[in-house]
């Protein structure tokens, strides 16, 4: 084993962890590591694996035949992928309401292929939920302003509340929404 790989022998099975994308184990966990951490591990033979409790994943039960731990770990990003797909779908409906169907298709295609959106849809990071919350918030808020329906205001409020639990940068959104609503009121 190198400084980048560690093996734990338990009941005769080899279990490994790796810090770069080239590490491959039939039973193991890969985690993202920058070149600095990889170089540190190569130079010292030790790689610090400080991991916050918020990303700790514990598997319970028995693994089914043919399913490896790597398969289970690779399934974790499915949540972020689903959030990314929901963001693209929600964006289409918002863009269609604002600019029409053709423009919405073009804008949605651009979002679906945008590098940052694809990247954050592939990694497990709460940031991918922020655009979804913002799009749903704006969608229902604009509809509520046009129609005055309370259920649309309620859904906008739910999106705002959920957005506050996504990423810290979302904390500025209530102020932006308040400024927009103030502008809307004095304009009318």
């Amino acid at each position: 084993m190198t400084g980048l790989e560690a093996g734990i022998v338990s009941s005769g099975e080899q279990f490994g962890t790796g810090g770069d994308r080239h590490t491959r184990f039939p039973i193991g966990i890969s985690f993202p590591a920058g070149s600095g951490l990889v170089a540190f591990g190569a130079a010292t033979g030790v790689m610090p694996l400080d991991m916050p409790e918020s990303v700790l994943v514990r598997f319970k039960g028995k693994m089914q035949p043919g399913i490896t731990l790597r398969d289970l770990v690779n399934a974790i990003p499915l949540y972020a992928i689903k959030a990314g797909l929901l963001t693209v779908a929600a964006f289409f409906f918002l863009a269609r309401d604002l600019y029409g169907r053709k423009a919405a298709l073009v804008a949605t295609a651009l979002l679906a292929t945008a590098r940052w959106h694809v990247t954050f849809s592939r990694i497990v990071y709460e940031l991918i939920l922020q655009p979804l919350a913002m799009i749903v918030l704006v969608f229902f808020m604009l509809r509520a302003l046009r129609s005055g329906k309370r259920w649309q205001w309620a859904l906008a409020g739910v999106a705002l509340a959920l957005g506050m639990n996504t990423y810290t940068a979302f904390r500025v959104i209530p102020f932006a929404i308040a400024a927009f609503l103030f502008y809307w009121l004095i304009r009318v």
Side-chain angles (χ1 to χ4, degrees):
M1 295 205 168
T2 69
L4 301 178
E5 301 170 358
I8 300 171
V9 179
S10 172
S11 305
E13 292 186 22
Q14 185 81 13
F15 177 83
T17 61
D20 63 356
R21 63 182 178 187
H22 305 295
T23 306
R24 300 288 181 251
F25 291 97
I27 299 176
I29 299 173
S30 293
F31 53 90
S35 58
L37 185 59
V38 172
F40 179 81
T44 64
V46 178
M47 182 180 284
L49 296 176
D50 298 330
M51 187 169 297
E53 281 288 320
S54 63
V55 296
L56 179 64
V57 178
R58 293 185 184 178
F59 297 101
K60 295 181 180 180
K62 293 184 178 182
M63 292 193 351
Q64 298 179 5
I67 303 295
T68 65
L69 184 59
R70 184 178 185 164
D71 297 329
L72 296 175
V73 171
N74 286 336
I76 293 171
L78 287 177
Y79 179 76
I81 292 168
K82 289 177 185 178
L85 292 172
L86 281 173
T87 302
V88 171
F91 183 75
F92 170 77
F93 292 110
L94 174 63
R96 187 184 66 183
D97 271 11
L98 294 174
Y99 305 110
R101 189 171 192 274
K102 287 183 183 180
L105 286 172
V106 171
T108 302
L110 291 173
L111 174 64
T113 57
R115 182 176 180 187
W116 67 267
H117 185 72
V118 172
T119 299
F120 284 112
S121 294
R122 293 179 58 211
I123 61 175
V124 183
Y125 187 41
E126 70 270 12
L127 177 65
I128 193 59
L129 295 172
Q130 183 179 359
L132 177 60
M134 289 174 65
I135 289 167
V136 172
L137 167 62
V138 171
F139 176 77
F140 284 112
M141 185 184 67
L142 291 177
R143 283 198 160 198
L145 285 170
R146 291 183 199 135
S147 69
K149 294 182 180 176
R150 289 184 182 179
W151 66 271
Q152 291 175 336
W153 281 113
L155 288 177
V158 167
L160 179 63
L162 291 175
M164 294 297 287
N165 292 295
T166 59
Y167 190 64
T168 54
F170 196 91
R171 293 178 187 162
V172 74
I173 297 301
F175 299 106
I177 294 298
F180 175 78
L181 291 175
F182 180 73
Y183 169 76
W184 185 276
L185 287 173
I186 62 171
R187 189 190 69 135
V188 174

